[in-house]
Amino acid sequence: MEILVALVPMFAWGSIGLVSAKLGGDANQQTLGMTIGAFFFSLVVYFVTMPVIDGKVILIGLLSGLFWSVGQNGQFHGMKYLGVSVGLPLSTGMQLILNTVAGALFFAEWTQTRDYALGVSALILLVIGAYLTARQDGESPVEAGSKMLDFPKGFRALISSTIGYGAYTILITWAGLDPLAIILPQSVGMLIGASLFALRKTKVDRFVGKNTLSGLLWGIGNVCMLITVQQVGLAVGFSLSQMGIIISTLGGIFILGEKKTKKELRYVVIGCLLVIIGGVLLGYMKAT
């Protein structure tokens, strides 16, 4: 049952890019709309479950939400400077490394040699798989529109993104708070951060309203990810959530109609298989 809950973020978060692409709007409108949707989702969860919210929950929730907005904004800028084909897999890989290392070392989630052997093997497979799913070759029909523009700026943006995303999950894991209680103040922090980044840059129109739907998906994935982290640990829980790259990659090809060369399709198939094998290894670690 734990693993089934852990796989919910994979489908929910993996679908966000597809849904946002269909809904339209620029990056800031999509981010702002997503945070508004996440806020309304958290309100519903709060009134249904009525969790206890004290000062510590409010403080940790607000901080984690602000860190998330830093991570999201940095990722968008990283993809702007590096191109999606380089920026997205690099961002995923950097997040996997940070959260897995934090779970293994800071929270002592890996205690035996076997844990480190399986965990490191799974991490390597996930990172390589994430890279292959977005790799392009020189014959790609979209290469000119996604080429690398400025590696130093893009890499710096992804460093700030990784720190923001990492702090968002590590802080909550360290605090050990009720996931159902923390998501409301967390969504407020996300909304504040997204509003500050979008200040005077974003036109609030129908695209912002439409993208609240992606916020509902994000909220569902976030609750399940936080519950999973409490049950199976940060290293495994976060890594499983990043398997959503399979959904976004295949959805981009078959739903959005993104063009791929034959060589790129082979990269995608191999990459998805590696991600699946890595996820199975992580699940096996918790089942034995």
Side-chain angles (χ1 to χ4, degrees):
M1 186 64 182
E2 291 178 350
I3 297 300
L4 292 178
V5 175
L7 292 177
V8 171
M10 165 186 166
F11 291 98
W13 288 352
S15 303
I16 288 176
L18 306 176
V19 173
S20 295
K22 287 291 187 181
L23 296 175
D26 61 28
N28 285 327
Q29 288 173 320
Q30 290 172 340
T31 303
L32 185 58
M34 186 165 69
T35 56
I36 293 172
F39 173 70
F40 283 119
F41 174 83
S42 66
L43 278 178
V44 172
V45 171
Y46 172 76
F47 285 114
V48 170
T49 62
M50 295 301 291
V52 177
I53 297 180
D54 57 19
K56 182 179 179 180
V57 170
I58 293 174
L59 177 61
I60 298 297
L62 286 173
L63 286 176
S64 69
L66 289 171
F67 280 128
W68 177 91
S69 67
V70 172
Q72 184 66 63
N73 185 266
Q75 187 180 73
F76 278 132
H77 280 84
M79 289 188 289
K80 172 185 175 183
Y81 290 121
L82 298 176
V84 175
S85 65
V86 175
L88 184 58
L90 186 58
S91 176
T92 300
M94 292 167 70
Q95 290 178 63
L96 283 167
I97 292 171
L98 176 60
N99 282 278
T100 302
V101 170
L105 299 183
F106 300 154
F107 301 115
E109 294 173 0
W110 296 352
T111 57
Q112 304 175 23
T113 302
R114 166 189 167 280
D115 294 335
Y116 282 93
L118 290 176
V120 171
S121 298
L123 179 61
I124 291 173
L125 290 172
L126 288 168
V127 172
I128 295 176
Y131 166 73
L132 289 177
T133 56
R135 181 176 174 178
Q136 291 181 333
D137 64 52
E139 301 174 2
S140 173
V142 296
E143 182 182 23
S146 59
K147 64 182 179 181
M148 189 181 302
L149 303 176
D150 193 326
F151 186 83
K153 286 185 178 180
F155 191 70
R156 286 196 297 270
L158 289 186
I159 289 177
S160 68
S161 173
T162 303
I163 294 173
Y165 275 141
Y168 140 70
T169 51
I170 293 171
L171 182 62
I172 296 175
T173 304
W174 168 79
L177 301 173
D178 180 5
L180 295 178
I182 204 168
I183 61 171
L184 180 57
Q186 182 185 66
S187 67
V188 174
M190 290 167 56
L191 190 57
I192 293 172
S195 299
L196 291 175
F197 281 119
L199 189 65
R200 298 180 181 178
K201 299 178 183 177
T202 301
K203 180 180 179 181
V204 179
D205 56 16
R206 70 182 189 280
F207 291 115
V208 173
K210 286 182 177 180
N211 276 282
T212 57
L213 294 176
S214 64
L216 299 179
L217 279 175
W218 188 90
I220 293 171
N222 185 47
V223 169
C224 291
M225 194 274 288
L226 295 178
I227 292 174
T228 300
V229 166
Q230 279 197 344
Q231 292 176 338
V232 302
L234 177 63
V236 174
F238 184 82
S239 296
L240 287 174
S241 73
Q242 297 306 295
M243 291 174 63
I245 195 171
I246 298 174
I247 308 297
S248 57
T249 300
L250 297 180
I253 297 172
F254 297 108
I255 297 177
L256 301 180
E258 295 179 354
K259 303 298 182 182
K260 293 286 184 180
T261 66
K262 290 183 179 180
K263 185 182 292 186
E264 287 171 347
L265 285 174
R266 287 197 294 269
Y267 291 149
V268 167
V269 172
I270 296 172
C272 288
L273 288 174
L274 291 179
V275 170
I276 291 171
I277 294 171
V280 170
L281 273 180
L282 290 174
Y284 175 75
M285 285 177 60
K286 304 308 296 184
T288 59

